Amino acid sequence: MTETFRHSGEYPQQQSAAPVHHGGTQGGTAHGAWPPPPAFAPEEPQAPAPRRRRAKGPVALIAAVAIAAAAVGGGTAYAVQTLTGRDGGTSATSTDVVPTSKKGTVSGVAEAVSPSIVEVGAQTAQGKSTGSGVITTSDGEIVTNNHVIAGATSVKVRTNDGKTYDAEVVGTDSKKDLALLELKGASGLKPATLGNSDNVRVGDEVVAIGSPEGLTGTVTSGIVSALDRDVTVPTGEGQEQPQNPEGGWPFEFDGRQFNGDTGSSKTTYKALQTDASLNPGNSGGALIDMNGNIIGINSAMYSPSSSQGGSESASSGSVGLGFAIPIDAVKDDLGKLRSGSKT
């Protein structure tokens, strides 16, 4: 039964029931009588059609998943590789390694990252060279500077917990001053998280961890002082540890030599500059952002003890001019180093 809508919002008062006769009205068309039924029976109301959303739900879900996988397929594959393969511990983007309660603090960075930094000792014909390194896989892959192990007859690595391992030089790249070591019999180590040096800005706070003068696990802090500094260092080709007597690694900047003669075989790279204190033995160690990501491998520092001025010859130690190889350059070189290339 259908009622006619009244704009007033009222409906006619209910009339006394009158028998309805199919095919006509009782006694003609009386005021208030029910209208005659239609000439044919009204269609039975049909159940609403099943909602297409439900029918398409699984298909839509599968399609959505497929689209998402296609959009991030490369990143997903890389993420799986970093968790299960030789790239364990690395990351293409910056992550929070430091616990939230200690985020942005030097102590938080030191606590989170120190287990991933090692001391590297190389025995050469000239004596012993001490540097630092960064753990990149749990089974003992270590990134360090090439000049730390150049000309070495044997290499030993001491981890943050005091354990010592023999190490093999897997690959070297003297042009980038990088080397890759593999510890013998190591397992369960804590890999560092390699960040993104493209995101680094002048003034960013940083922490440096290494083994200056053999003091394992030394932590210093500062800021990024400059970007893209052209630093020239010896390649180490045909020479063994061309360090000066004070232990500083010689380098050139802006046409001037620091910490001794760089020799005739050299290479230049774009470096991050930092005022975090670096000293002999920090080479190969980590420059870290406040989230705990490695943004550079410390490689050179200016030591006034070997300056040409003479008036500064009595001074020694860091003066806040340190340089690090950007971590993006390191990540680009890892495949080559892992393949065993030694250049």
Side-chain angles (χ1 to χ4, degrees):
M1 180 175 67
T2 302
E3 295 179 330
T4 302
F5 177 75
R6 308 279 178 158
H7 286 289
S8 64
E10 299 178 355
Y11 290 89
Q13 295 183 355
Q14 184 175 0
Q15 305 294 323
S16 24
V20 177
H21 299 275
H22 295 288
T25 60
Q26 182 180 11
T29 304
H31 178 69
W34 295 103
F40 52 87
E43 294 182 1
E44 291 293 328
Q46 298 181 357
R51 297 177 65 181
R52 296 180 64 84
R53 184 180 300 173
R54 176 174 296 180
K56 292 179 62 178
V59 177
L61 178 59
I62 292 173
V65 172
I67 292 173
V72 299
T76 302
Y78 182 78
V80 171
Q81 184 183 30
T82 61
L83 292 175
T84 62
R86 294 296 295 167
D87 285 327
T90 66
S91 172
T93 57
S94 188
T95 57
D96 291 333
V97 180
V98 181
T100 302
S101 61
K102 297 183 178 180
K103 187 175 180 180
T105 66
V106 174
S107 60
V109 173
E111 181 178 344
V113 185
S114 288
S116 302
I117 311 302
V118 300
E119 177 184 308
V120 178
Q123 188 65 44
T124 73
Q126 296 176 331
K128 183 179 180 180
S129 170
T130 300
S132 306
V134 177
I135 300 172
T136 53
T137 64
S138 60
D139 58 354
E141 182 183 86
I142 309 293
V143 170
T144 187
N145 286 142
N146 179 62
H147 75 255
V148 171
I149 53 85
T153 56
S154 66
V155 179
K156 290 186 179 294
V157 170
R158 183 168 64 173
T159 55
N160 181 258
D161 59 5
K163 295 182 179 178
T164 301
Y165 299 87
D166 290 327
E168 175 187 358
V169 179
V170 176
T172 59
D173 186 345
S174 60
K175 298 297 183 184
K176 289 188 175 181
D177 195 17
L178 292 172
L180 190 68
L181 310 177
E182 184 72 31
L183 305 189
K184 298 178 181 179
S187 64
L189 303 182
K190 182 179 180 180
T193 298
L194 307 187
N196 186 342
S197 50
D198 279 347
N199 293 336
V200 176
R201 297 292 179 265
V202 173
D204 285 352
E205 293 181 272
V206 290
V207 173
I209 304 179
S211 299
E213 307 296 350
L215 300 173
T216 305
T218 295
V219 177
T220 57
S221 65
I223 63 169
V224 173
S225 306
L227 305 174
D228 298 327
R229 291 296 201 198
D230 287 325
V231 174
T232 300
V233 298
T235 62
E237 296 174 357
Q239 51 188 325
E240 295 183 355
Q241 294 296 325
Q243 292 178 312
N244 68 2
E246 289 80 20
W249 180 245
F251 70 96
E252 295 178 10
F253 176 72
D254 198 23
R256 295 177 296 166
Q257 291 186 341
F258 301 95
N259 303 344
D261 184 8
T262 54
S264 58
S265 179
K266 59 190 70 175
T267 185
T268 301
Y269 57 82
K270 299 286 186 180
L272 303 175
Q273 182 180 323
T274 179
D275 70 349
S277 179
L278 301 180
N279 288 284
N282 272 113
S283 290
L287 190 65
I288 313 157
D289 68 18
M290 299 309 290
N291 290 324
N293 301 285
I294 311 300
I295 59 170
I297 300 297
N298 299 321
S299 57
M301 45 78 65
Y302 167 58
S303 175
S305 61
S306 57
S307 67
Q308 298 176 341
S311 61
E312 296 177 318
S313 60
S315 303
S316 62
S318 173
V319 293
L321 291 175
F323 303 92
I325 302 168
I327 202 63
D328 286 356
V330 178
K331 291 191 292 186
D332 289 343
D333 214 34
L334 273 177
K336 176 183 175 182
L337 295 173
R338 286 169 175 161
S339 71
S341 174
K342 296 182 178 180
T343 59

